[in-house]
Amino acid sequence: MENLARFRSVGELEASGFFMRNREAILTFLRTPQVSACAGSIPRLGDFLRVAQWNIEKGKRLDPIAECFGGHAILQWADIIILNEADCGMSRSGNRHVAAELAGRLGMHMVFAPAHFELTDGSGDDLPVAGENRESLQGNAILSRHPVREASVVALPVTFEPYEFGEKRFGRRSCLWARVEWRRSRLWVGSVHLELRNTPSCRARQVEHIMKNLPGGGGDAYLLGGDLNTNGFSRGTLWRTVRSAARLLCLPAGRIRAELLSPDRGREPLFEVAGRHGFFWDALNTNEETARTAIDDLEESDALPGFLLGGIRRRLRPYGGYLSFKLDWLLGRRLKALAAMERCDARTGVMSVGPGRVPGINHGPGRMSDHLPVYADLALE
């Protein structure tokens, strides 16, 4: 970790003798999924598949998250769980292997792919946490009560370099795929966390790369879930910040809210890309808030003139000063989305539910995560 962190730029790191000697080992580690089987794992539902997706904010509040998956009326029946921001060996989350511990508590198989070596303690309320990082990893995970037959990682195009950012990391965003055996079929489950600090077109480019590098064969079914960061804004430069601020100031607040909760209707071209490759999402999602941000918490707020920031605050008064986002999604191919009461599981009597989001607190000290989980019930086509 010390050697990875000590350079000023990623170019300087990659030109170093340390990296040249260790490059292949480092990159192979980041490209290799960790798979852990759970002896005696038994699916809870037999006649349909319930899936859940949750960005768990590093797993800093793992105990209530585990209790939610274990006892929530809907989530307790999820036999596939897709996770983003799962820490492994970070002091901010108790130096736990978050995905492995959660899988163990729930009696599920685990697949984990590290996306980055975390070279700082984090940001915000991570910083006062005592202790030293160990493995210093964060990544994506898939938990399953159905057998996992194989797994792979697709590295995504880099559209923002986190090595040269305050919260310094080495690695790249990736999509983790696990082939799950479900009703004698081949189902590929993907977990992905797309880039935040750039533009909608950059996220579309990342999705295009995923679509062009799907694992498996032509007849397989696919479920892709994750925090797609579909905020509908362009970020990363002062000009983009000014344009985004002008949008907030000039458009009616009701229209802004509607656009942020329905980014699939034009603001985020990644959905057009996914649709061209045969993926659907309408029947797997609701347009409900999964994350929110106070304007003063945005990284760009420091770059805005005071009069602009004040105008945006006034514009957001009807919503308590927050921007509400639909960031978390499920997308499917060769799958059927079930509606509420459409199918009954013969063994348990559990009825299918329509797609939804678990309501809760996603900001402030009482939250389990800064995102809310989403879920859907599926059958094969």
Side-chain angles (χ1 to χ4, degrees):
M1 294 304 107
E2 291 175 1
N3 277 310
L4 277 176
R6 66 188 176 92
F7 300 96
R8 290 172 297 179
S9 69
V10 70
E12 188 177 314
L13 165 65
E14 291 175 347
S16 69
F18 159 76
F19 192 77
M20 290 180 182
R21 290 188 302 272
N22 295 281
R23 179 182 185 278
E24 199 56 39
I26 291 169
L27 297 183
T28 297
F29 180 82
L30 292 174
R31 290 194 297 255
T32 304
Q34 302 173 17
V35 183
S36 176
C38 177
S41 180
I42 300 173
R44 295 187 171 175
L45 299 174
D47 291 313
F48 59 90
L49 180 66
R50 180 161 297 169
V51 300
Q53 180 274 333
W54 199 351
N55 178 326
I56 55 173
E57 196 186 1
K58 295 99 172 181
K60 294 187 289 185
R61 300 165 184 86
L62 181 59
D63 292 336
I65 288 171
E67 291 169 7
C68 186
F69 278 122
H72 186 272
I74 292 175
L75 295 188
Q76 66 177 315
W77 299 101
D79 283 326
I80 298 286
I81 296 173
I82 298 167
L83 301 174
N84 304 124
E85 290 194 15
D87 272 357
C88 175
M90 293 291 296
S91 60
R92 65 195 177 195
S93 48
N95 274 316
R96 294 159 151 169
H97 191 325
V98 167
E101 185 167 332
L102 184 57
R105 293 195 197 187
L106 299 175
M108 305 180 78
H109 311 297
M110 179 217 74
V111 187
F112 170 73
H116 296 98
F117 289 102
E118 297 280 332
L119 303 176
T120 70
D121 291 331
S123 62
D125 57 8
D126 302 340
L127 299 178
V129 177
E132 298 292 327
N133 297 334
R134 292 203 308 247
E135 291 84 354
S136 302
L137 300 171
Q138 185 198 124
N140 300 307
I142 297 165
L143 312 185
S144 172
R145 291 193 181 90
H146 295 275
V148 175
R149 298 308 185 197
E150 59 181 302
S152 61
V153 174
V154 176
L156 302 185
V158 176
T159 62
F160 171 83
E161 181 47 69
Y163 191 85
E164 297 162 13
F165 185 61
E167 192 176 347
K168 193 172 188 175
R169 303 169 176 173
F170 177 79
R172 60 196 296 182
R173 293 185 185 264
S174 61
C175 182
L176 168 65
W177 287 104
R179 182 167 68 83
V180 173
E181 185 178 304
W182 173 44
R183 299 177 69 88
R184 300 181 181 177
S185 69
R186 291 168 56 96
L187 170 64
W188 287 94
V189 179
S191 177
V192 68
H193 189 182
L194 297 184
E195 185 54 64
L196 169 66
R197 297 179 184 90
N198 213 307
T199 66
S201 62
C202 289
R203 286 184 284 277
R205 185 154 57 93
Q206 290 182 323
V207 170
E208 182 74 49
H209 186 78
I210 293 170
M211 298 293 124
K212 289 181 176 179
N213 292 276
L214 292 176
D220 294 349
Y222 295 86
L223 173 70
L224 177 63
D227 175 0
L228 304 187
N229 271 317
T230 47
N231 59 77
F233 288 103
S234 293
R235 305 178 64 179
T237 67
L238 178 59
W239 173 240
R240 291 173 186 168
T241 297
V242 170
R243 288 182 60 191
S244 297
R247 179 180 160 204
L248 290 173
L249 284 170
C250 296
L251 295 180
R255 177 175 167 181
I256 291 290
R257 179 176 177 83
E259 288 181 352
L260 297 185
L261 294 179
S262 300
D264 52 327
R265 298 175 187 171
R267 282 283 171 183
E268 289 283 344
L270 69 86
F271 292 100
E272 180 184 349
V273 171
R276 287 202 308 267
H277 289 270
F279 280 76
F280 72 98
W281 58 91
D282 280 349
L284 291 173
N285 299 273
T286 59
N287 291 106
E288 297 175 281
E289 172 193 314
T290 62
R292 61 168 52 187
T293 302
I295 187 64
D296 290 338
D297 291 341
L298 290 173
E299 295 166 4
E300 294 89 345
S301 62
D302 292 340
L304 294 175
F307 76 93
L308 270 180
L309 197 58
I312 294 170
R313 287 196 190 103
R314 289 191 294 274
R315 173 70 69 183
L316 295 175
R317 280 175 186 165
Y319 310 110
Y322 288 91
L323 295 174
S324 295
F325 298 99
K326 165 66 174 174
L327 303 183
D328 302 272
W329 297 83
L330 296 168
L331 295 84
R333 190 168 92 173
R334 295 192 178 90
L335 294 169
K336 171 181 169 57
L338 299 179
M341 309 296 287
E342 183 176 349
R343 188 166 297 188
C344 178
D345 182 63
R347 183 173 60 84
T348 62
V350 172
M351 299 295 298
S352 64
V353 296
R357 175 219 62 180
V358 176
I361 300 171
N362 57 2
H363 63 286
R367 69 188 189 274
M368 286 186 275
S369 168
D370 56 359
H371 290 244
L372 297 173
V374 298
Y375 57 83
D377 286 345
L378 303 170
L380 292 169
E381 277 190 342

